[in-house]
Amino acid sequence: TCSAFCTANAGSSSVSVQMGSNTGGSTLRVKSRGTLEITGGKPENSNIYNLSFCKKLDMGLPGSFSSGIGVQNNVIDLQAGSTVIYSGASGNQKVQDSKIVYANLVFQGNAKKWINDTLRILENIHIKQSSVFDAENHLIYLGGNWNNYDEKGFAEGNSTVILNGSSIQEISNTAGEKFYKLILQNSASTLFDVQIRQQFDMLNGNLNANGRTITVGESAVNTGILNYQIGRIIGKMKRWFAPSINSGAA
């Protein structure tokens, strides 16, 4: 649904929607089971109110968008069950972050997908083959499942992933996923082979390793931190410890 200001660009090879105006914004609504695909978008344009936006107005059907999401003066309504796909094919593709709450988020295509603020996903994230998601040092709130094609699909940097769903959440990566800091705030989470490089906070909920291993730390130098409040680990857990000298004292 686009209101207030919608126009087709004259001379353009495709119809586009310009969102917002100086006095009033527009609303972009992606309905349940609707898909919004963003194929491009310049970082410097991510907050421009009249950003050239899309090819289709009916977001009940898949739409392909050639630019990023303009958020200034606009309302972005991503309803439960909707999906946003960032599919840039080359270079770097900016992912709109702090001003949008996603239902489902998909990264595909060879362009590096990156954020520069907090990212909120109410349902699932899927990092597909050949895509790289660079989280830098930001927060990622996830209410659903994490699906990554390979360890190299997620550049965790110094980021923090917070699992805050209300039902079982699964982390899927055949190569084993790596996080810098992971916080569990869910009463039931299923984790496959996971390594937390820096810090693991168990604030609420149980972890099921599903026959694999949960690792905290990455070496005797970087041993990692386990901050435990409540919950239990079902399965194997591996921890690193700093080297010490045994004096032989009883």
Side-chain angles (χ1 to χ4, degrees), residues 107-110 126-132 148-150 152:
F107 296 140
Q108 64 187 37
N110 292 331
H126 191 177
I127 306 170
K128 293 190 173 183
Q129 185 71 34
S130 78
S131 191
V132 175
N148 185 6
Y149 70 95
D150 188 82
K152 61 187 178 184

Side-chain angles (χ1 to χ4, degrees), residues 134-137 154-159 179-181 197:
D134 188 353
E136 298 186 349
N137 61 345
F154 179 53
E156 70 274 12
N158 293 335
S159 64
F179 297 105
Y180 181 76
K181 182 178 179 180
R197 290 174 45 220

Side-chain angles (χ1 to χ4, degrees), residues 4 41 46 61 63 71 94 102 118 128 133 165 169 174 180 215 218:
S46 60
L61 298 173
V71 295
K94 171 69 172 62
Y102 296 92
T118 299
K128 293 190 173 183
F133 171 33
Q169 293 178 256
T174 56
Y180 181 76
T215 303
E218 56 185 351

Side-chain angles (χ1 to χ4, degrees), residues 182-186 191 199-207 214 216 225-234 237:
L182 183 66
I183 299 177
L184 179 62
Q185 292 181 332
N186 186 346
L191 303 180
Q199 183 170 330
F200 180 32
D201 293 353
M202 290 188 65
L203 306 184
N204 185 22
N206 301 327
L207 281 76
I214 298 169
V216 177
I225 299 169
L226 175 61
N227 177 21
Y228 174 82
Q229 291 189 14
I230 192 172
R232 62 194 179 103
I233 295 175
I234 304 169
M237 178 178 177

Side-chain angles (χ1 to χ4, degrees), residues 195-196 215-224 238-242:
Q195 179 181 359
I196 300 103
T215 303
V216 177
E218 56 185 351
S219 70
V221 176
N222 183 16
T223 59
K238 176 181 177 181
R239 290 207 62 187
W240 287 89
F241 294 91

